[in-house]
């Protein structure tokens, strides 16, 4: 048994090693140190989820305290308490799903600027999906508050509100959200992991609200309107 972080249980759990294969690499000339790599299929004993594990050891990397070689472990799919998992949205358009998955990959691989750009692209994709081209935005020009229709992302988010797809509060949150993408793409400002984690939560909530909610509502209506089958009635013998 090995203690490994399980992305389903969201904690370290006991894992059983189901199978494995190990290969050693030895330099016969003796000029380079040897190393080994081991591939394993492991199974969580809490939820039964399967995962891959790669374990590398190097001849020179000996720990005198444990009297063992230090192990360098990589899990597949990648996981850990600081790793985000892609949520299973069932009703997302293909293009938006692809950008969302790539954004999560960027977050998990420390590509913060690209992640922020991906989150901004998701907002653009949402507006495109609902054919939102512009929206009314208040601007302060020379001390005078004016309402103008704009075609940039700020205007499109306002357009989502005008179309009744977002509440005013939700739209204002997304206005704050788009600044992360703007700063990353236009100013090459790298957002923190904490900022991105919250931004991803906001995007996921938005996707749930705009796409998953309607899909679940339709499935609920389908179930309610489906004729009930009475199993108590006698069936004719054929």
């Amino acid at each position: 048994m090995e203690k490994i972080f399980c992305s389903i249980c969201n904690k370290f759990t006991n894992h059983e090693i189901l199978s494995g294969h190990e290969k050693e690499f030895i330099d016969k000339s003796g000029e380079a140190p040897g190393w080994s790599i081991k591939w394993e299929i492991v199974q969580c004993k809490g939820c039964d989820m399967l995962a891959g594990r790669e374990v590398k050891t190097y001849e020179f990397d000996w720990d005198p305290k444990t009297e063992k070689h230090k192990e360098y472990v990589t899990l597949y799919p990648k996981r850990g308490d600081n790793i985000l998992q892609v949520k299973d949205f069932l009703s997302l358009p293909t293009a938006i799903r692809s950008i969302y998955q790539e954004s999560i990959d960027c977050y998990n691989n420390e590509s913060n600027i690209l992640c922020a750009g991906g989150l901004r692209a998701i907002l653009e994709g949402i507006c495109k999906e609902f054919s939102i081209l512009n929206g009314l935005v208040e601007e302060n020009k020379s001390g005078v508050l004016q309402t103008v229709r704009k075609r940039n992302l700020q205007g499109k988010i306002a357009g989502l509100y005008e179309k009744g797809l977002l509440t005013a509060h939700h739209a204002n949150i997304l206005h704050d959200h788009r600044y992360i993408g703007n700063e990353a793409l236009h100013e090459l400002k790298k957002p923190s992991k904490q900022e991105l984690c919250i931004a991803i939560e906001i995007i996921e909530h938005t996707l749930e609200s705009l796409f998953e909610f309607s899909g679940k509502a339709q499935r609920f209506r389908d179930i309610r309107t489906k004729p009930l089958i009475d199993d108590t009635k006698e069936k004719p013998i054929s």
Side-chain angles (χ1 to χ4, degrees):
M1 289 288 181
E2 297 276 355
K3 281 284 187 182
I4 299 173
F5 189 90
C6 176
S7 58
I8 304 299
C9 299
N10 198 33
K11 62 181 179 180
F12 284 89
T13 61
N14 288 323
H15 279 64
E16 180 183 357
I17 300 173
L18 300 181
S19 63
H21 177 75
E22 186 172 4
K23 184 173 180 60
E24 292 185 344
F25 299 87
I26 301 174
D27 183 7
K28 294 182 179 180
S29 68
E31 295 180 358
W35 62 287
S36 69
I37 183 169
K38 181 167 53 177
W39 296 277
E40 298 172 334
I41 301 297
V42 296
Q43 183 177 37
C44 175
K45 301 308 292 180
C47 67
D48 292 334
M49 179 59 68
L50 298 176
R53 187 169 78 145
E54 178 187 86
V55 183
K56 292 181 179 179
T57 58
Y58 299 89
E59 184 181 7
F60 61 85
D61 210 346
W62 179 263
D63 189 342
K65 293 182 179 179
T66 62
E67 296 186 344
K68 293 181 180 179
H69 285 100
K70 185 175 180 180
E71 295 184 337
Y72 296 86
V73 179
T74 304
L75 299 172
Y76 302 96
K78 197 172 182 180
R79 83 276 304 279
D81 49 9
N82 62 340
I83 297 296
L84 295 182
Q85 301 299 321
V86 173
K87 291 192 175 181
D88 293 325
F89 294 117
L90 300 179
S91 304
L92 278 190
T94 302
I96 296 177
R97 183 191 305 278
S98 178
I99 300 171
Y100 166 66
Q101 292 176 339
E102 289 184 17
S103 300
I104 299 297
D105 286 341
C106 287
Y107 175 90
N108 291 334
N109 288 286
E110 308 293 335
S111 301
N112 292 13
I113 290 179
L114 294 179
C115 177
L119 297 179
R120 189 186 192 284
I122 291 174
L123 288 179
E124 292 279 7
I126 290 171
C127 295
K128 182 178 180 180
E129 184 66 24
F130 290 101
S131 301
I132 305 297
L133 301 178
N134 52 57
L136 290 173
V137 176
E138 288 188 343
E139 284 190 344
N140 192 329
K141 292 186 177 182
S142 302
V144 179
L145 195 63
Q146 298 180 4
T147 301
V148 295
R149 187 166 290 278
K150 304 187 74 170
R151 297 178 63 87
N152 59 7
L153 185 55
Q154 180 187 18
K156 292 175 183 176
I157 291 174
L160 290 171
Y161 164 67
E162 290 177 34
K163 200 170 181 178
L165 296 167
L166 298 177
T167 65
H169 179 63
H170 195 158
N172 286 332
I173 291 174
L174 290 184
H175 281 308
D176 293 335
H177 182 284
R178 68 186 169 83
Y179 287 124
I180 295 179
N182 289 348
E183 292 172 351
L185 296 178
H186 301 310
E187 303 173 23
L188 300 183
K189 182 179 177 181
K190 184 177 180 178
S192 68
K193 293 283 284 187
Q194 292 83 356
E195 287 178 299
L196 286 176
C197 187
I198 295 173
I200 289 171
E201 288 181 7
I202 292 171
I203 280 292
E204 289 176 339
H205 175 74
T206 303
L207 296 176
E208 174 78 23
S209 173
L210 293 177
F211 298 102
E212 298 301 296
F213 231 44
S214 57
K216 290 177 181 178
Q218 184 58 52
R219 291 194 293 273
F220 180 69
R221 285 193 292 268
D222 291 342
I223 292 173
R224 285 179 59 83
T225 56
K226 187 176 181 180
L228 294 176
I229 300 176
D230 189 353
D231 293 332
T232 62
K233 293 182 178 181
E234 294 185 359
K235 296 180 181 179
I237 298 175
S238 57

